[in-house]
Amino acid sequence: MEGSPGIGGRSGSDGSRAPPKIPPAMEELQSRLQETLDLLSSQELRSFRDHLKKVEPRVSQVKLELEGRSPSGLARLLAKQYYPPAAAKRVLVQVLEQLPRADLLPRWQSAAADGPVIPRKIPKRSYDCVEGELDRYDLSGRRKAFLMCVKRNRLGAHQDVLLMEDWLGQCQFENTLCIDPDKMELLGEITSFRDGLNEIKDDIGCCLVALMSHGEEGFIKMKDGEKVSLEGIFEMFNNKNCPALQEKPKIFIIQACRGERRDSGVETDDEPMDSDDGSEKRRLPTFSDYFIIYPTQADHVALRDPRTGSVMIKAMTDVFKQYGNKWHIADFFTKVNNRVVHREFNLRNEPVKVSLVMESTLTKFVYF
C-alpha cells in the first residue's frame, strides 16, 4: 500500500519514508549551534556535555551518548531539545559561562528573544585544526608562583601586586610574595622558593616568577638601587639547578625598564641539521621550557601609571577577564601586546610607544 503525506514525512518514489522536514528557523538554529560548538576543543566539548546535564530542562544521558558525541550531532540534538531560539540562547549562555568561553558569549547574549542574529565569524583557534589531543604540558600538579615587587618610589606598584595576585589566583597558582627586598633578601627568598620546588619534585606542574621593579638591560633593581642579574635568576631554575622543573614550564614575567631609550613611534600610511639519536641516555639542554616576557624592548623604558599600575600588568588582567584561559601563553601575550602596541601613551608630554618582547624555549603548549 502506498504511503500518504503526514507528520512522519512522505514516502519516496521507492516506497521508503523520507525524513521529516525541519522548519527553516530550527535549521538556522542548528547551524548557529554547530558554528559555536566547532570552536570548542575536544576537552571543552566534553566539559560542555557535562555541564549540559545540569541545565533544565535536562537532556537525557542516553540521548547525549547516542546523538551528542560530535559537534554536528550535539547541535542537532540541542536544536530539537531547546527550540525555539530564545530557549537555546539561555542554555548556551549558561553552559559557556561555566567553561569559561567568554569570547563566545556575545553571539548568544545579543540574540533577540524572537530569533537569532547573524553572528560574526570567529576564526578557529590553531589547535582546533589539529587532529587528536594537543601536545601540551601536564599542569595537573601544583602551580607555584614567586611574586617580587619593589613598591618604594614606584607609584602604582601596589595596584600591580593586587592585579597579579588576582590573576595568579584565577590561574590556580600558590603564591609566595616578596615585597621591597634588598639584594640579599631577594636572593635568599628566591633560593628558598627554588629549593622548595626541588623538595616536592613529583608534585610540581608549573613555576612562574614575576619580578616588578626599576631596572636596566639585564638587571632588576632592589629598593636600595642594588642590581640583581636577571640571567642569574633564570639560571637558578634551569634543568641542572632545579631538576624538579625538568620538562615543565618556567614562566618569567619581568616588569621593569631595560634602559633609558624612548620610542616616540612613527606615523603610518596604512600600508635540517645532523643529529645523533643513538645515545642510550636521554639528555636535555641546560636551558629549556622557559618562557620570558618583558614589558619593553632592550634598552628602552617600561611604562607604569600611578593610578592603574604598569601598562603590561593591567593589559594582562584585562585580556584574561575578557577571554579567560582559552589561549596558549604565547598567544595570550600576543593579544596583550596587541593592546599595548595600539594604545597611545605620553611621558613628560611627549608621545612614547612600547612593545612587549617574548623569549621562549618551550617545547609544548601552556594552557592555565
Side-chain angles (χ1 to χ4, degrees), residues 107-235:
R107 55 173 51 201
W108 293 98
Q109 289 174 329
S110 61
D114 57 350
V117 295
I118 302 300
R120 172 176 66 88
K121 288 283 186 181
I122 297 180
K124 279 192 172 187
R125 290 171 286 171
S126 58
Y127 66 76
D128 287 325
C129 302
V130 179
E131 292 185 4
E133 291 297 317
L134 264 182
D135 188 17
R136 64 174 73 186
Y137 289 100
D138 177 7
L139 300 188
S140 59
R142 295 168 67 180
R143 305 175 184 185
K144 305 285 283 185
F146 183 88
L147 176 58
M148 187 283 289
C149 182
V150 172
K151 294 183 179 179
R152 182 180 296 181
N153 300 322
R154 296 182 67 242
L155 294 176
H158 176 68
Q159 187 67 18
D160 286 350
V161 174
L162 295 178
L163 292 172
M164 283 297 298
E165 286 189 305
D166 181 62
W167 181 70
L168 290 169
Q170 292 186 65
C171 293
Q172 304 173 38
F173 278 90
E174 301 171 39
N175 184 24
T176 298
L177 199 58
C178 178
I179 302 296
D180 282 334
D182 59 27
K183 180 176 181 177
M184 295 310 297
E185 287 171 340
L186 172 63
L187 293 178
E189 290 196 37
I190 201 167
T191 298
S192 177
F193 173 78
R194 188 273 315 274
D195 292 345
L197 300 182
N198 283 329
E199 290 173 3
I200 54 173
K201 178 179 179 180
D202 295 334
D203 293 332
I204 291 297
C206 176
C207 166
L208 185 147
V209 175
L211 305 174
M212 303 184 291
S213 184
H214 293 298
E216 59 185 60
E217 181 60 20
F219 295 90
I220 194 159
K221 295 181 180 179
M222 300 297 96
K223 64 180 182 181
D224 53 5
E226 281 192 285
K227 296 186 292 186
V228 175
S229 165
L230 289 173
E231 194 62 38
I233 290 179
F234 300 154
E235 196 168 291

Side-chain angles (χ1 to χ4, degrees), residues 235-303:
E235 196 168 291
M236 292 174 63
F237 294 87
N238 67 24
N239 292 325
K240 177 181 178 181
N241 296 322
C242 192
L245 292 176
Q246 288 180 3
E247 298 188 273
K248 298 174 183 178
K250 299 166 272 287
I251 315 299
F252 291 85
I253 298 175
I254 312 299
Q255 175 56 55
C257 288
R258 304 178 71 189
E260 300 295 330
R261 294 177 60 186
R262 301 176 190 172
D263 180 2
S264 60
V266 296
E267 295 184 2
T268 66
D269 58 4
D270 294 323
E271 278 238 353
M273 293 171 54
D274 292 334
S275 61
D276 179 11
D277 296 326
S279 57
E280 293 184 3
K281 188 172 181 180
R282 193 171 64 90
R283 299 177 63 85
L284 289 172
T286 304
F287 288 87
S288 63
D289 305 287
Y290 277 75
F291 183 86
I292 304 168
I293 181 78
Y294 295 99
T296 188
Q297 302 169 61
D299 302 320
H300 283 67
V301 297
L303 300 180

